[in-house]
Amino acid sequence: MCGRYASSARRPDLQQLYHADGPGDGVELAPSWNVAPTTKVYTVVQRHDGDRDVREVRAMRWGLVPFWFKPGTDPKTGKAKRMPSLHNARADRLATAPSWRGPFARHRAIIPATGYYEWLTGQDADGNAYKQPYYVHPAGGMLSFAGLYEKWADPDKDADDPDRWLWSAAIITHHATWLAGEMNERTPVILPPERIDAWLDPALTDKQAAHELITGIDYAPLQVRAVSTAVNKTGRGAARGPELIEPVDEQGDTVLQLQPA
């Protein structure tokens, strides 16, 4: 599962890297090495605009909100419904799960990352268990997470209100193997450059063809290093700077070879 990642690239750099010449939403996000669910993240999408397709970089909520979500009171608890935070989507349920099947057919996306975090349980000098974070990253360049996006209309806002639409996204994960499986049973789907155009193409609505784009990927080796437990904290006051990915031992980076099932 991908529950935290690093995003240090600037919007113009992402536009150039992904050939995104559309205007997007113009939102500039600060670099963060501690991106957590429900925060805004850069997302690359391609949409029909009149008689042509437009590829653009947008800032979206990480945590997909299905278009059919209806706010209000939960009849079981009597409390206000919480906004869904579906930040990961299982690859094996994309074509069938109600939250995923619509976006999978028509709203596929790329979520760029500098790297991401996984955790192993360790013990301190006193024998107390703690979560040791590891930073997984490419030797160079960016990671292109396969993702989905959706647009949700706030029923409490007028149809002509520019803030009526909430754009949100999720990262697709699949079964992890080898060392990655020891850290977590799920790992993000990382698309190679040669599959990105087809993945983003809104004309591709065949779910089987889309699913083939996220399977059988021959991954380039990644690098992994132990980093500070400071990344374990999120929310107000949490660290978000590049010091979070500095190695905490002399071993530094070791090779991590993803082998998706």
Side-chain angles (χ1 to χ4, degrees), residues 59-88:
M60 299 190 191
R61 177 185 190 264
W62 182 24
L64 187 141
V65 179
F67 77 91
W68 41 259
F69 170 69
K70 290 184 170 66
T73 302
D74 188 327
K76 294 182 179 179
T77 64
K79 298 180 180 179
K81 293 180 182 178
R82 298 183 63 180
M83 181 76 74
S85 183
L86 305 174
H87 62 280
N88 284 164

Side-chain angles (χ1 to χ4, degrees), residues 21-256:
D21 56 359
D25 55 9
V27 174
E28 298 284 350
L29 300 176
S32 175
W33 286 260
N34 193 0
V35 179
T38 74
T39 59
K40 292 277 190 176
V41 300
Y42 281 132
T43 308
V44 183
V45 300
Q46 189 165 311
R47 305 182 298 119
H48 288 305
D49 184 12
D51 59 352
R52 68 188 187 100
D53 287 345
V54 175
R55 185 176 297 183
E56 57 192 15
V57 177
R58 284 183 166 267
M60 299 190 191
R61 177 185 190 264
W62 182 24
L64 187 141
V65 179
F67 77 91
W68 41 259
F69 170 69
K70 290 184 170 66
T73 302
D74 188 327
K76 294 182 179 179
T77 64
K79 298 180 180 179
K81 293 180 182 178
R82 298 183 63 180
M83 181 76 74
S85 183
L86 305 174
H87 62 280
N88 284 164
R90 291 179 62 104
D92 55 342
R93 299 190 61 200
L94 293 175
T96 57
S99 298
W100 309 131
R101 60 193 181 198
F104 182 49
R106 64 183 187 276
H107 287 166
R108 295 180 301 274
I110 293 293
I111 299 178
T114 314
Y116 66 100
Y117 299 93
E118 294 289 5
W119 284 261
L120 287 175
T121 300
Q123 284 189 336
D124 61 21
D126 297 324
N128 299 313
Y130 72 100
K131 290 292 188 179
Q132 172 60 56
Y134 289 82
Y135 181 60
V136 183
H137 64 102
M142 298 285 295
L143 299 176
S144 298
F145 293 151
L148 307 173
Y149 77 98
E150 190 58 284
K151 295 168 60 180
W152 176 76
D154 188 337
D156 294 330
K157 295 182 179 179
D158 294 335
D160 58 352
D161 188 335
D163 295 326
R164 184 186 185 215
W165 292 99
L166 173 66
W167 295 66
S168 60
I171 294 172
I172 297 173
T173 67
H174 53 191
H175 180 66
T177 58
W178 202 56
L179 178 59
E182 294 183 22
M183 295 181 177
N184 197 308
E185 66 174 7
R186 312 292 299 175
T187 193
V189 176
I190 304 168
L191 283 183
E194 63 271 16
R195 299 194 185 197
I196 289 176
D197 287 348
W199 177 254
L200 292 178
D201 186 357
L204 176 62
T205 58
D206 182 87
K207 294 179 181 179
Q208 179 59 37
H211 200 273
E212 290 175 358
L213 292 172
I214 56 173
T215 57
I217 298 172
D218 185 15
Y219 284 119
L222 298 176
Q223 304 291 314
V224 59
R225 67 178 67 156
V227 294
S228 169
T229 55
V231 76
N232 293 355
K233 182 178 180 180
T234 61
R236 183 173 297 179
R240 294 181 175 83
E243 71 278 2
L244 293 174
I245 64 171
E246 291 296 322
V248 294
D249 56 34
E250 296 180 355
Q251 184 175 1
D253 285 331
T254 58
V255 175
L256 176 66

